[in-house]
Amino acid sequence: GMEGFETIKAILPDVDAQTISLALSQSGDNVERAIDLILNGQVVVVSPPAASTTPVTQPEKEDSDEILAKRLQAQFDLENNPQDEEISLQQFLQDEDELLAFQLSQQQTGRAWEQPNVPEFDITQFGGMLTGIMQQVETALLPQVTQFIKDFKAEPIEEEMDAGKLGQIAFGLKNLKVSQVDIPKEKFELKIDDGKLCLNISGISCSLDQFEWNYEKKTGFPKLKDNGTGTVAISKCTINVKMVMSLGGAHGVEFQVASSEVHIGKLDVKISGTAASVIYNLIIGIFKNMIKAQLETGLAKGLAEAIISGSRDIMANMGNMGSD
């Protein structure tokens, strides 16, 4: 297309217009391949070799007319069939997707929230009271954690990516809220590790109903944009929360969260938009990573806060323990 022609002309100013046009048509309008053809001398020249040695006057005008016609045709094709652009976008997203898949395979852990300066206190100092304390905490935490995840809504995402020759692509995701959650009771485990109370929940699955997404290619021609809705299914999600309990505070016992970590093992995204396109599958790859990061970060921080605020009830109940 026109844009491809201009790009090559800018990169290779010494190459004549005909060669560029031929390279573009022989590479299916793929700029990078066209440049390779030119640089490797692989452009198939249509005119007979003899013509280049004899001085020409008239045909040259014909050539430039022909080129102009070709350029107009290419421009027209592109306007009426933005497929070239979609193919480049597809290629970019595919590369991006492979990169993300690789990053995800490297990143086995989730994302953590940590509280600095948590007091050092060995919970085993509670001695004989410990079993009772742990039962209280466990009874209070399961419904609390479940409720928190059920009500969870992640912050909206606005991100822009540099897609090389495609320019800037902006992605947006909003209304990321959990619609349903399942925490198997038997996977809810409270234990003592290194003097801290550790809550480990595995096998959590949940789904997000109807999030809204959009993407827009900000630069270049044609300006591609689309939007739609999507759903997310999450499984193999693990939560690890480390809690510190110490003597002191209003109820004789203080409760703090030292760290909270969430890892989503499997995340499936389905999207629907205004036009069916191969690009969707690739966009999903990018969305997946964004959603995973946003949910892990938001859940880890939110859980810590929810547990801290809920611990006040637990602490208040501690006073009744002596009379059991």
Short mmCIF file of all heavy atoms in Angstrom, two decimals, residues 88 93 118 133 153 175 177 179 222 235 279 281-282 286 289 296 307:
data_model
loop_
_atom_site.label_atom_id
_atom_site.label_comp_id
_atom_site.label_asym_id
_atom_site.label_seq_id
_atom_site.Cartn_x
_atom_site.Cartn_y
_atom_site.Cartn_z
N SER A 88 -0.65 -7.62 9.92
CA SER A 88 0.49 -7.11 10.70
C SER A 88 0.14 -7.11 12.18
O SER A 88 0.96 -7.44 13.02
CB SER A 88 0.86 -5.68 10.32
OG SER A 88 0.63 -5.45 8.97
N LEU A 93 0.64 -9.37 17.57
CA LEU A 93 -0.01 -9.98 18.73
C LEU A 93 0.49 -11.40 18.96
O LEU A 93 0.64 -11.85 20.08
CB LEU A 93 -1.53 -9.97 18.56
CG LEU A 93 -2.18 -8.58 18.64
CD1 LEU A 93 -3.61 -8.65 18.18
CD2 LEU A 93 -2.11 -8.02 20.05
N VAL A 118 6.43 -5.96 60.63
CA VAL A 118 5.49 -6.73 61.45
C VAL A 118 6.26 -7.21 62.67
O VAL A 118 7.40 -7.67 62.56
CB VAL A 118 4.95 -7.93 60.63
CG1 VAL A 118 4.17 -8.88 61.53
CG2 VAL A 118 4.06 -7.43 59.52
N ILE A 133 -7.41 -20.99 69.73
CA ILE A 133 -7.21 -19.79 68.90
C ILE A 133 -7.33 -20.17 67.42
O ILE A 133 -8.03 -19.52 66.64
CB ILE A 133 -5.83 -19.14 69.17
CG1 ILE A 133 -5.83 -18.47 70.55
CG2 ILE A 133 -5.48 -18.11 68.09
CD1 ILE A 133 -4.48 -17.89 70.96
N LYS A 153 -13.86 -6.85 43.06
CA LYS A 153 -13.89 -6.20 41.75
C LYS A 153 -12.51 -5.56 41.52
O LYS A 153 -12.05 -4.78 42.35
CB LYS A 153 -14.99 -5.13 41.73
CG LYS A 153 -15.12 -4.48 40.36
CD LYS A 153 -16.33 -3.57 40.27
CE LYS A 153 -16.41 -3.00 38.86
NZ LYS A 153 -17.56 -2.14 38.64
N ASN A 175 -14.84 -3.44 34.47
CA ASN A 175 -15.90 -4.26 35.03
C ASN A 175 -15.44 -5.70 35.29
O ASN A 175 -16.14 -6.66 35.00
CB ASN A 175 -17.12 -4.25 34.09
CG ASN A 175 -18.39 -4.63 34.83
OD1 ASN A 175 -18.47 -4.47 36.04
ND2 ASN A 175 -19.35 -5.16 34.11
N LYS A 177 -15.34 -8.09 37.60
CA LYS A 177 -15.80 -8.47 38.94
C LYS A 177 -16.20 -9.94 39.02
O LYS A 177 -16.73 -10.51 38.06
CB LYS A 177 -16.90 -7.54 39.42
CG LYS A 177 -18.17 -7.50 38.61
CD LYS A 177 -19.20 -6.62 39.37
CE LYS A 177 -20.58 -6.87 38.88
NZ LYS A 177 -20.91 -6.15 37.64
N SER A 179 -18.16 -13.20 39.78
CA SER A 179 -19.59 -13.48 39.84
C SER A 179 -19.88 -14.75 40.64
O SER A 179 -20.98 -14.95 41.11
CB SER A 179 -20.16 -13.61 38.43
OG SER A 179 -19.37 -14.50 37.68
N PRO A 222 -5.27 1.75 8.23
CA PRO A 222 -6.47 2.40 8.78
C PRO A 222 -6.45 2.32 10.29
O PRO A 222 -5.71 1.52 10.85
CB PRO A 222 -7.60 1.55 8.22
CG PRO A 222 -6.98 0.19 8.06
CD PRO A 222 -5.53 0.42 7.75
N SER A 235 -9.24 -21.29 37.57
CA SER A 235 -9.15 -22.49 38.41
C SER A 235 -7.72 -22.63 38.89
O SER A 235 -6.83 -21.89 38.46
CB SER A 235 -9.59 -23.73 37.62
OG SER A 235 -8.87 -23.81 36.43
N ILE A 279 -7.76 -12.00 15.09
CA ILE A 279 -7.04 -11.17 16.05
C ILE A 279 -7.52 -11.45 17.48
O ILE A 279 -6.76 -11.39 18.42
CB ILE A 279 -7.24 -9.67 15.70
CG1 ILE A 279 -6.50 -9.38 14.39
CG2 ILE A 279 -6.73 -8.76 16.79
CD1 ILE A 279 -6.68 -8.00 13.87
N ASN A 281 -8.22 -14.13 19.09
CA ASN A 281 -7.49 -15.18 19.83
C ASN A 281 -6.18 -14.64 20.36
O ASN A 281 -5.72 -15.03 21.42
CB ASN A 281 -7.20 -16.36 18.90
CG ASN A 281 -8.49 -16.99 18.45
OD1 ASN A 281 -9.46 -17.00 19.19
ND2 ASN A 281 -8.51 -17.49 17.23
N LEU A 282 -5.58 -13.73 19.58
CA LEU A 282 -4.29 -13.20 19.99
C LEU A 282 -4.47 -12.12 21.04
O LEU A 282 -3.68 -12.01 21.97
CB LEU A 282 -3.57 -12.65 18.75
CG LEU A 282 -3.40 -13.74 17.69
CD1 LEU A 282 -3.10 -13.15 16.34
CD2 LEU A 282 -2.31 -14.71 18.10
N ILE A 286 -3.02 -11.38 25.34
CA ILE A 286 -2.59 -10.17 26.03
C ILE A 286 -3.53 -9.89 27.21
O ILE A 286 -3.09 -9.59 28.31
CB ILE A 286 -2.54 -8.99 25.04
CG1 ILE A 286 -1.37 -9.20 24.08
CG2 ILE A 286 -2.42 -7.66 25.77
CD1 ILE A 286 -1.23 -8.20 22.99
N ASN A 289 -2.85 -12.11 30.36
CA ASN A 289 -1.76 -11.68 31.22
C ASN A 289 -2.14 -10.46 32.06
O ASN A 289 -1.82 -10.38 33.24
CB ASN A 289 -0.54 -11.37 30.36
CG ASN A 289 0.74 -11.55 31.13
OD1 ASN A 289 0.86 -12.48 31.91
ND2 ASN A 289 1.67 -10.66 30.94
N GLU A 296 -4.38 -11.05 40.64
CA GLU A 296 -3.46 -11.51 41.69
C GLU A 296 -3.07 -10.37 42.61
O GLU A 296 -3.08 -10.52 43.84
CB GLU A 296 -2.20 -12.14 41.04
CG GLU A 296 -2.46 -13.51 40.47
CD GLU A 296 -1.24 -14.13 39.79
OE1 GLU A 296 -0.29 -13.40 39.45
OE2 GLU A 296 -1.25 -15.36 39.59
N ILE A 307 -8.88 -9.56 56.00
CA ILE A 307 -8.56 -10.42 57.15
C ILE A 307 -8.26 -9.56 58.38
O ILE A 307 -8.70 -9.85 59.48
CB ILE A 307 -7.40 -11.39 56.81
CG1 ILE A 307 -7.91 -12.45 55.82
CG2 ILE A 307 -6.86 -12.05 58.08
CD1 ILE A 307 -6.83 -13.37 55.26
#
